[in-house]
Short mmCIF file of all heavy atoms in Angstrom, two decimals:
data_model
loop_
_atom_site.label_atom_id
_atom_site.label_comp_id
_atom_site.label_asym_id
_atom_site.label_seq_id
_atom_site.Cartn_x
_atom_site.Cartn_y
_atom_site.Cartn_z
N SER A 76 -11.61 -50.66 7.37
CA SER A 76 -10.88 -51.67 8.15
C SER A 76 -10.52 -52.88 7.30
O SER A 76 -9.68 -53.69 7.71
CB SER A 76 -11.69 -52.10 9.38
OG SER A 76 -12.84 -52.84 9.00
N ASN A 77 -11.15 -53.03 6.14
CA ASN A 77 -10.80 -54.12 5.23
C ASN A 77 -9.46 -53.77 4.58
O ASN A 77 -9.33 -52.72 3.94
CB ASN A 77 -11.89 -54.27 4.16
CG ASN A 77 -11.64 -55.42 3.21
OD1 ASN A 77 -10.54 -55.61 2.70
ND2 ASN A 77 -12.67 -56.21 2.95
N PRO A 78 -8.45 -54.63 4.71
CA PRO A 78 -7.12 -54.30 4.19
C PRO A 78 -7.09 -54.00 2.70
O PRO A 78 -6.27 -53.19 2.25
CB PRO A 78 -6.31 -55.56 4.51
CG PRO A 78 -6.98 -56.15 5.71
CD PRO A 78 -8.44 -55.88 5.49
N PHE A 79 -7.98 -54.62 1.93
CA PHE A 79 -7.99 -54.34 0.49
C PHE A 79 -8.41 -52.90 0.24
O PHE A 79 -7.77 -52.18 -0.54
CB PHE A 79 -8.95 -55.29 -0.24
CG PHE A 79 -9.13 -54.96 -1.69
CD1 PHE A 79 -8.13 -55.22 -2.61
CD2 PHE A 79 -10.29 -54.35 -2.15
CE1 PHE A 79 -8.27 -54.91 -3.96
CE2 PHE A 79 -10.46 -54.03 -3.49
CZ PHE A 79 -9.44 -54.31 -4.39
N PHE A 80 -9.47 -52.43 0.91
CA PHE A 80 -9.92 -51.06 0.71
C PHE A 80 -8.93 -50.06 1.31
O PHE A 80 -8.76 -48.96 0.77
CB PHE A 80 -11.31 -50.87 1.34
CG PHE A 80 -12.37 -51.72 0.70
CD1 PHE A 80 -13.25 -52.45 1.48
CD2 PHE A 80 -12.49 -51.80 -0.68
CE1 PHE A 80 -14.23 -53.25 0.90
CE2 PHE A 80 -13.46 -52.59 -1.27
CZ PHE A 80 -14.33 -53.32 -0.48
N ALA A 81 -8.27 -50.44 2.40
CA ALA A 81 -7.25 -49.56 2.98
C ALA A 81 -6.08 -49.40 2.02
O ALA A 81 -5.56 -48.29 1.83
CB ALA A 81 -6.77 -50.13 4.31
N ALA A 82 -5.66 -50.50 1.40
CA ALA A 82 -4.56 -50.44 0.43
C ALA A 82 -4.97 -49.62 -0.79
O ALA A 82 -4.17 -48.85 -1.34
CB ALA A 82 -4.14 -51.85 0.02
N MET A 83 -6.21 -49.77 -1.22
CA MET A 83 -6.71 -49.00 -2.36
C MET A 83 -6.71 -47.51 -2.03
O MET A 83 -6.30 -46.68 -2.85
CB MET A 83 -8.11 -49.46 -2.74
CG MET A 83 -8.70 -48.74 -3.95
SD MET A 83 -7.79 -49.09 -5.48
CE MET A 83 -8.35 -50.78 -5.78
N ALA A 84 -7.18 -47.16 -0.83
CA ALA A 84 -7.21 -45.76 -0.42
C ALA A 84 -5.81 -45.17 -0.38
O ALA A 84 -5.59 -44.03 -0.80
CB ALA A 84 -7.88 -45.63 0.95
N HIS A 85 -4.84 -45.95 0.09
CA HIS A 85 -3.46 -45.48 0.15
C HIS A 85 -2.91 -45.24 -1.25
O HIS A 85 -2.24 -44.22 -1.50
CB HIS A 85 -2.60 -46.51 0.89
CG HIS A 85 -1.21 -46.06 1.17
ND1 HIS A 85 -0.17 -46.23 0.27
CD2 HIS A 85 -0.67 -45.42 2.24
CE1 HIS A 85 0.94 -45.73 0.77
NE2 HIS A 85 0.68 -45.24 1.97
N ALA A 86 -3.17 -46.15 -2.17
CA ALA A 86 -2.69 -46.00 -3.54
C ALA A 86 -3.34 -44.81 -4.23
O ALA A 86 -2.68 -44.06 -4.95
CB ALA A 86 -2.96 -47.29 -4.33
N VAL A 87 -4.63 -44.63 -4.00
CA VAL A 87 -5.35 -43.49 -4.58
C VAL A 87 -4.79 -42.18 -4.03
O VAL A 87 -4.57 -41.21 -4.77
CB VAL A 87 -6.86 -43.60 -4.29
CG1 VAL A 87 -7.56 -42.27 -4.58
CG2 VAL A 87 -7.48 -44.72 -5.13
N GLU A 88 -4.55 -42.14 -2.72
CA GLU A 88 -4.02 -40.92 -2.10
C GLU A 88 -2.66 -40.56 -2.69
O GLU A 88 -2.37 -39.37 -2.93
CB GLU A 88 -3.91 -41.11 -0.59
CG GLU A 88 -3.85 -39.81 0.21
CD GLU A 88 -2.47 -39.18 0.22
OE1 GLU A 88 -1.47 -39.92 0.07
OE2 GLU A 88 -2.38 -37.94 0.36
N ASP A 89 -1.81 -41.57 -2.93
CA ASP A 89 -0.50 -41.31 -3.53
C ASP A 89 -0.64 -40.66 -4.90
O ASP A 89 0.06 -39.69 -5.22
CB ASP A 89 0.28 -42.62 -3.67
CG ASP A 89 0.92 -43.06 -2.37
OD1 ASP A 89 0.97 -42.25 -1.43
OD2 ASP A 89 1.38 -44.22 -2.29
N GLU A 90 -1.56 -41.20 -5.72
CA GLU A 90 -1.76 -40.66 -7.07
C GLU A 90 -2.30 -39.23 -7.01
O GLU A 90 -1.88 -38.36 -7.78
CB GLU A 90 -2.73 -41.55 -7.85
CG GLU A 90 -2.17 -42.92 -8.20
CD GLU A 90 -0.98 -42.86 -9.12
OE1 GLU A 90 -0.94 -41.96 -10.00
OE2 GLU A 90 -0.07 -43.70 -8.98
N ILE A 91 -3.24 -39.00 -6.11
CA ILE A 91 -3.85 -37.67 -6.00
C ILE A 91 -2.85 -36.66 -5.46
O ILE A 91 -2.79 -35.51 -5.92
CB ILE A 91 -5.12 -37.75 -5.13
CG1 ILE A 91 -6.22 -38.48 -5.90
CG2 ILE A 91 -5.59 -36.36 -4.71
CD1 ILE A 91 -7.49 -38.71 -5.11
N PHE A 92 -2.04 -37.07 -4.50
CA PHE A 92 -1.00 -36.18 -3.96
C PHE A 92 -0.01 -35.79 -5.05
O PHE A 92 0.38 -34.62 -5.16
CB PHE A 92 -0.28 -36.87 -2.81
CG PHE A 92 0.80 -36.03 -2.17
CD1 PHE A 92 0.48 -35.06 -1.23
CD2 PHE A 92 2.13 -36.20 -2.53
CE1 PHE A 92 1.48 -34.28 -0.66
CE2 PHE A 92 3.12 -35.43 -1.96
CZ PHE A 92 2.79 -34.46 -1.01
N ASP A 93 0.38 -36.77 -5.88
CA ASP A 93 1.32 -36.48 -6.98
C ASP A 93 0.71 -35.50 -7.98
O ASP A 93 1.44 -34.78 -8.67
CB ASP A 93 1.70 -37.77 -7.70
CG ASP A 93 2.63 -38.64 -6.87
OD1 ASP A 93 3.20 -38.13 -5.88
OD2 ASP A 93 2.78 -39.84 -7.19
N ALA A 94 -0.62 -35.48 -8.05
CA ALA A 94 -1.31 -34.57 -8.98
C ALA A 94 -1.54 -33.20 -8.34
O ALA A 94 -2.16 -32.32 -8.96
CB ALA A 94 -2.63 -35.17 -9.42
N GLY A 95 -1.06 -33.01 -7.10
CA GLY A 95 -1.22 -31.73 -6.43
C GLY A 95 -2.62 -31.51 -5.86
O GLY A 95 -3.04 -30.37 -5.64
N MET A 96 -3.33 -32.61 -5.62
CA MET A 96 -4.69 -32.53 -5.09
C MET A 96 -4.74 -33.08 -3.67
O MET A 96 -3.75 -33.62 -3.16
CB MET A 96 -5.65 -33.32 -5.99
CG MET A 96 -5.55 -33.02 -7.47
SD MET A 96 -6.38 -31.50 -7.94
CE MET A 96 -8.08 -32.05 -8.00
N VAL A 97 -5.90 -32.96 -3.04
CA VAL A 97 -6.12 -33.47 -1.69
C VAL A 97 -7.25 -34.48 -1.73
O VAL A 97 -8.24 -34.29 -2.46
CB VAL A 97 -6.47 -32.33 -0.70
CG1 VAL A 97 -6.84 -32.89 0.66
CG2 VAL A 97 -5.29 -31.37 -0.58
N LEU A 98 -7.12 -35.56 -0.96
CA LEU A 98 -8.14 -36.61 -0.93
C LEU A 98 -8.98 -36.51 0.33
O LEU A 98 -8.46 -36.42 1.44
CB LEU A 98 -7.48 -37.99 -0.97
CG LEU A 98 -8.45 -39.18 -0.92
CD1 LEU A 98 -9.28 -39.25 -2.19
CD2 LEU A 98 -7.68 -40.49 -0.71
N LEU A 99 -10.29 -36.51 0.17
CA LEU A 99 -11.22 -36.63 1.29
C LEU A 99 -11.74 -38.06 1.32
O LEU A 99 -12.27 -38.56 0.32
CB LEU A 99 -12.40 -35.67 1.11
CG LEU A 99 -12.07 -34.17 0.99
CD1 LEU A 99 -13.35 -33.36 0.83
CD2 LEU A 99 -11.29 -33.69 2.21
N LEU A 100 -11.58 -38.74 2.44
CA LEU A 100 -11.95 -40.15 2.56
C LEU A 100 -13.24 -40.30 3.35
O LEU A 100 -13.40 -39.75 4.44
CB LEU A 100 -10.84 -40.93 3.25
CG LEU A 100 -11.13 -42.40 3.55
CD1 LEU A 100 -11.32 -43.19 2.25
CD2 LEU A 100 -10.01 -43.01 4.39
N GLY A 101 -14.18 -41.05 2.78
CA GLY A 101 -15.44 -41.35 3.45
C GLY A 101 -15.59 -42.84 3.66
O GLY A 101 -15.53 -43.61 2.69
N ASP A 102 -15.75 -43.27 4.90
CA ASP A 102 -15.93 -44.69 5.23
C ASP A 102 -17.41 -44.95 5.48
O ASP A 102 -17.98 -44.48 6.46
CB ASP A 102 -15.11 -45.03 6.48
CG ASP A 102 -15.27 -46.48 6.90
OD1 ASP A 102 -15.87 -47.27 6.15
OD2 ASP A 102 -14.79 -46.83 8.01
N ALA A 103 -18.04 -45.73 4.59
CA ALA A 103 -19.48 -46.00 4.71
C ALA A 103 -19.80 -46.98 5.82
O ALA A 103 -20.96 -47.11 6.21
CB ALA A 103 -20.02 -46.53 3.38
N ALA A 104 -18.78 -47.68 6.33
CA ALA A 104 -18.97 -48.64 7.43
C ALA A 104 -20.08 -49.64 7.11
O ALA A 104 -20.86 -50.02 7.98
CB ALA A 104 -19.26 -47.91 8.74
N GLU A 105 -20.12 -50.07 5.84
CA GLU A 105 -21.10 -51.05 5.34
C GLU A 105 -22.55 -50.60 5.54
O GLU A 105 -23.46 -51.42 5.62
CB GLU A 105 -20.89 -52.42 6.02
CG GLU A 105 -19.54 -53.07 5.74
CD GLU A 105 -19.37 -53.48 4.28
OE1 GLU A 105 -20.31 -53.34 3.50
OE2 GLU A 105 -18.25 -53.94 3.93
N SER A 106 -22.76 -49.30 5.61
CA SER A 106 -24.11 -48.75 5.78
C SER A 106 -24.51 -47.97 4.53
O SER A 106 -23.83 -47.01 4.14
CB SER A 106 -24.15 -47.81 6.99
OG SER A 106 -25.33 -47.03 6.99
N LYS A 107 -25.61 -48.36 3.90
CA LYS A 107 -26.09 -47.67 2.71
C LYS A 107 -26.51 -46.24 3.05
O LYS A 107 -26.26 -45.31 2.27
CB LYS A 107 -27.28 -48.43 2.12
CG LYS A 107 -27.66 -47.98 0.72
CD LYS A 107 -26.57 -48.33 -0.28
CE LYS A 107 -26.95 -47.93 -1.70
NZ LYS A 107 -25.85 -48.18 -2.65
N GLU A 108 -27.12 -46.05 4.22
CA GLU A 108 -27.56 -44.71 4.62
C GLU A 108 -26.35 -43.79 4.83
O GLU A 108 -26.35 -42.63 4.41
CB GLU A 108 -28.39 -44.79 5.91
CG GLU A 108 -29.74 -45.47 5.75
CD GLU A 108 -29.64 -46.98 5.59
OE1 GLU A 108 -28.59 -47.55 6.02
OE2 GLU A 108 -30.57 -47.58 5.03
N ARG A 109 -25.32 -44.32 5.49
CA ARG A 109 -24.13 -43.51 5.72
C ARG A 109 -23.43 -43.21 4.40
O ARG A 109 -22.92 -42.10 4.20
CB ARG A 109 -23.19 -44.25 6.67
CG ARG A 109 -21.89 -43.53 6.96
CD ARG A 109 -21.22 -44.12 8.17
NE ARG A 109 -19.83 -43.70 8.29
CZ ARG A 109 -19.09 -43.87 9.37
NH1 ARG A 109 -19.61 -44.45 10.42
NH2 ARG A 109 -17.83 -43.48 9.39
N GLU A 110 -23.42 -44.17 3.50
CA GLU A 110 -22.83 -43.97 2.18
C GLU A 110 -23.51 -42.81 1.46
O GLU A 110 -22.83 -41.93 0.89
CB GLU A 110 -22.97 -45.26 1.37
CG GLU A 110 -22.49 -45.18 -0.06
CD GLU A 110 -22.79 -46.46 -0.82
OE1 GLU A 110 -22.01 -47.42 -0.67
OE2 GLU A 110 -23.80 -46.51 -1.55
N GLU A 111 -24.83 -42.78 1.47
CA GLU A 111 -25.58 -41.72 0.79
C GLU A 111 -25.30 -40.36 1.44
O GLU A 111 -25.19 -39.34 0.75
CB GLU A 111 -27.07 -42.03 0.82
CG GLU A 111 -27.46 -43.25 -0.02
CD GLU A 111 -28.93 -43.58 0.10
OE1 GLU A 111 -29.69 -42.73 0.59
OE2 GLU A 111 -29.33 -44.69 -0.30
N GLU A 112 -25.15 -40.35 2.77
CA GLU A 112 -24.87 -39.09 3.46
C GLU A 112 -23.47 -38.56 3.09
O GLU A 112 -23.29 -37.36 2.88
CB GLU A 112 -24.96 -39.29 4.98
CG GLU A 112 -24.82 -38.00 5.76
CD GLU A 112 -25.04 -38.19 7.25
OE1 GLU A 112 -25.52 -39.28 7.64
OE2 GLU A 112 -24.75 -37.25 8.02
N ILE A 113 -22.50 -39.47 3.00
CA ILE A 113 -21.15 -39.06 2.61
C ILE A 113 -21.15 -38.49 1.19
O ILE A 113 -20.52 -37.47 0.92
CB ILE A 113 -20.17 -40.26 2.70
CG1 ILE A 113 -19.97 -40.66 4.16
CG2 ILE A 113 -18.83 -39.90 2.07
CD1 ILE A 113 -19.21 -41.96 4.33
N LEU A 114 -21.86 -39.13 0.29
CA LEU A 114 -21.95 -38.63 -1.08
C LEU A 114 -22.55 -37.23 -1.11
O LEU A 114 -22.08 -36.36 -1.85
CB LEU A 114 -22.80 -39.58 -1.93
CG LEU A 114 -22.18 -40.94 -2.26
CD1 LEU A 114 -23.20 -41.84 -2.95
CD2 LEU A 114 -20.95 -40.78 -3.14
N SER A 115 -23.56 -36.99 -0.28
CA SER A 115 -24.18 -35.67 -0.22
C SER A 115 -23.20 -34.63 0.30
O SER A 115 -23.12 -33.51 -0.22
CB SER A 115 -25.43 -35.73 0.67
OG SER A 115 -26.01 -34.45 0.82
N ILE A 116 -22.44 -35.00 1.33
CA ILE A 116 -21.46 -34.07 1.91
C ILE A 116 -20.37 -33.74 0.88
O ILE A 116 -19.98 -32.58 0.73
CB ILE A 116 -20.82 -34.68 3.18
CG1 ILE A 116 -21.86 -34.76 4.29
CG2 ILE A 116 -19.61 -33.86 3.62
CD1 ILE A 116 -21.40 -35.52 5.51
N PHE A 117 -19.90 -34.75 0.16
CA PHE A 117 -18.87 -34.51 -0.85
C PHE A 117 -19.39 -33.57 -1.93
O PHE A 117 -18.64 -32.72 -2.44
CB PHE A 117 -18.41 -35.83 -1.47
CG PHE A 117 -17.42 -36.59 -0.63
CD1 PHE A 117 -16.98 -37.84 -1.02
CD2 PHE A 117 -16.92 -36.04 0.54
CE1 PHE A 117 -16.06 -38.54 -0.26
CE2 PHE A 117 -16.00 -36.73 1.32
CZ PHE A 117 -15.57 -37.98 0.92
N GLN A 118 -20.63 -33.73 -2.29
CA GLN A 118 -21.20 -32.83 -3.30
C GLN A 118 -21.26 -31.40 -2.77
O GLN A 118 -20.94 -30.44 -3.48
CB GLN A 118 -22.59 -33.29 -3.72
CG GLN A 118 -23.17 -32.48 -4.87
CD GLN A 118 -24.49 -33.03 -5.36
OE1 GLN A 118 -25.12 -33.84 -4.68
NE2 GLN A 118 -24.95 -32.59 -6.52
N GLN A 119 -21.64 -31.24 -1.49
CA GLN A 119 -21.69 -29.91 -0.89
C GLN A 119 -20.29 -29.30 -0.80
O GLN A 119 -20.13 -28.07 -0.91
CB GLN A 119 -22.31 -30.00 0.51
CG GLN A 119 -23.78 -30.41 0.52
CD GLN A 119 -24.28 -30.70 1.91
OE1 GLN A 119 -23.73 -30.22 2.91
NE2 GLN A 119 -25.32 -31.51 2.02
N GLN A 120 -19.27 -30.15 -0.60
CA GLN A 120 -17.89 -29.67 -0.53
C GLN A 120 -17.34 -29.31 -1.91
O GLN A 120 -16.22 -28.81 -2.02
CB GLN A 120 -17.00 -30.74 0.10
CG GLN A 120 -17.27 -31.01 1.57
CD GLN A 120 -16.82 -29.89 2.46
OE1 GLN A 120 -15.84 -29.22 2.17
NE2 GLN A 120 -17.52 -29.67 3.55
N GLN A 121 -18.12 -29.58 -2.94
CA GLN A 121 -17.75 -29.27 -4.32
C GLN A 121 -16.42 -29.93 -4.71
O GLN A 121 -15.51 -29.29 -5.25
CB GLN A 121 -17.67 -27.75 -4.53
CG GLN A 121 -18.99 -27.03 -4.27
CD GLN A 121 -18.92 -25.56 -4.58
OE1 GLN A 121 -18.43 -25.15 -5.63
NE2 GLN A 121 -19.42 -24.74 -3.66
N VAL A 122 -16.33 -31.24 -4.43
CA VAL A 122 -15.13 -31.97 -4.84
C VAL A 122 -15.02 -31.93 -6.36
O VAL A 122 -16.01 -31.85 -7.08
CB VAL A 122 -15.18 -33.43 -4.34
CG1 VAL A 122 -15.13 -33.49 -2.82
CG2 VAL A 122 -16.41 -34.16 -4.87
N ASP A 123 -13.80 -31.99 -6.85
CA ASP A 123 -13.56 -31.95 -8.29
C ASP A 123 -13.82 -33.30 -8.96
O ASP A 123 -13.93 -33.38 -10.18
CB ASP A 123 -12.12 -31.52 -8.58
CG ASP A 123 -11.88 -30.06 -8.25
OD1 ASP A 123 -12.86 -29.29 -8.26
OD2 ASP A 123 -10.74 -29.69 -7.98
#
Side-chain angles (χ1 to χ4, degrees):
S76 69
N77 183 313
F79 174 73
F80 297 133
M83 182 66 74
H85 187 272
V87 166
E88 200 281 333
D89 280 347
E90 292 296 325
I91 289 176
F92 180 81
D93 288 345
M96 310 282 281
V97 174
L98 179 68
L99 301 180
L100 175 64
D102 179 9
E105 297 293 356
S106 166
K107 193 67 178 176
E108 292 73 22
R109 178 164 165 168
E110 176 185 279
E111 293 177 14
E112 186 175 349
I113 292 170
L114 289 172
S115 176
I116 292 172
F117 280 176
Q118 186 175 15
Q119 294 171 24
Q120 292 289 328
Q121 300 184 47
V122 294
D123 290 336

